[in-house]
Amino acid sequence: QVQLVESGGGLVQAGDSLRLSCAASGRTLSTYAMGWFRQTPGKEREFVAAISWAGGRTYYTDSVHGRFTISRDDVKNAAYLQMNSVKPDDTGIYYCAAARTVGPTQTPTRRHEYAYWGQGTQVTVSS
């Protein structure tokens, strides 16, 4: 099975930058789409960004488009989320996820499309 571990979260001010990392083990993720989701208290876990396993295709939720960048490094078996110009509304627990049963250029956005999840890393943005 795949194990995912997020890191890089912390307390930052609005406008700052943050880079989250997702380290994978157990299997190579070279044929898995990778995604980032976030969750705040009282709300459902929501999609943030995804990257396909071939072709480098990415997709973002509207609220982060232009500010966040998802990337992957198949040599390191890792995924990343570069967060720039963060806002207080970006606060939440960020989860890394991996999806196996998708095409090489697909960027899944729904939770049920992802089979593997990390434990999350807290991101808090102060105003």
Side-chain angles (χ1 to χ4, degrees):
Q1 190 171 303
V2 175
Q3 295 83 46
L4 304 175
V5 179
E6 303 94 337
S7 63
L11 175 63
V12 295
Q13 296 185 26
D16 284 354
S17 294
L18 203 63
R19 187 174 190 251
L20 306 183
S21 297
C22 173
S25 61
R27 299 179 185 175
T28 177
L29 299 186
S30 60
T31 58
Y32 290 68
M34 301 298 297
W36 287 93
F37 290 72
R38 66 188 179 191
Q39 186 170 17
T40 56
K43 298 181 180 180
E44 294 184 354
R45 192 172 301 184
E46 66 173 350
F47 170 78
V48 175
I51 185 168
S52 63
W53 60 264
R57 186 167 298 180
T58 59
Y59 185 76
Y60 303 89
T61 191
D62 288 345
S63 63
V64 308
H65 192 272
R67 299 187 298 118
F68 291 7
T69 302
I70 186 172
S71 61
R72 65 189 300 153
D73 186 335
D74 289 338
V75 174
K76 296 182 178 180
N77 210 29
Y80 308 92
L81 185 69
Q82 179 66 44
M83 306 167 62
N84 295 332
S85 302
V86 295
K87 305 174 181 179
D89 285 347
D90 294 324
T91 293
I93 303 174
Y94 282 70
Y95 298 89
C96 176
R100 175 68 182 90
T101 56
V102 295
T105 61
Q106 291 183 328
T107 52
T109 62
R110 300 178 67 86
R111 287 182 291 170
H112 72 264
E113 297 180 283
Y114 291 86
Y116 305 104
W117 296 83
Q119 296 300 305
T121 184
Q122 177 71 44
V123 173
T124 302
V125 183
S126 62
S127 60

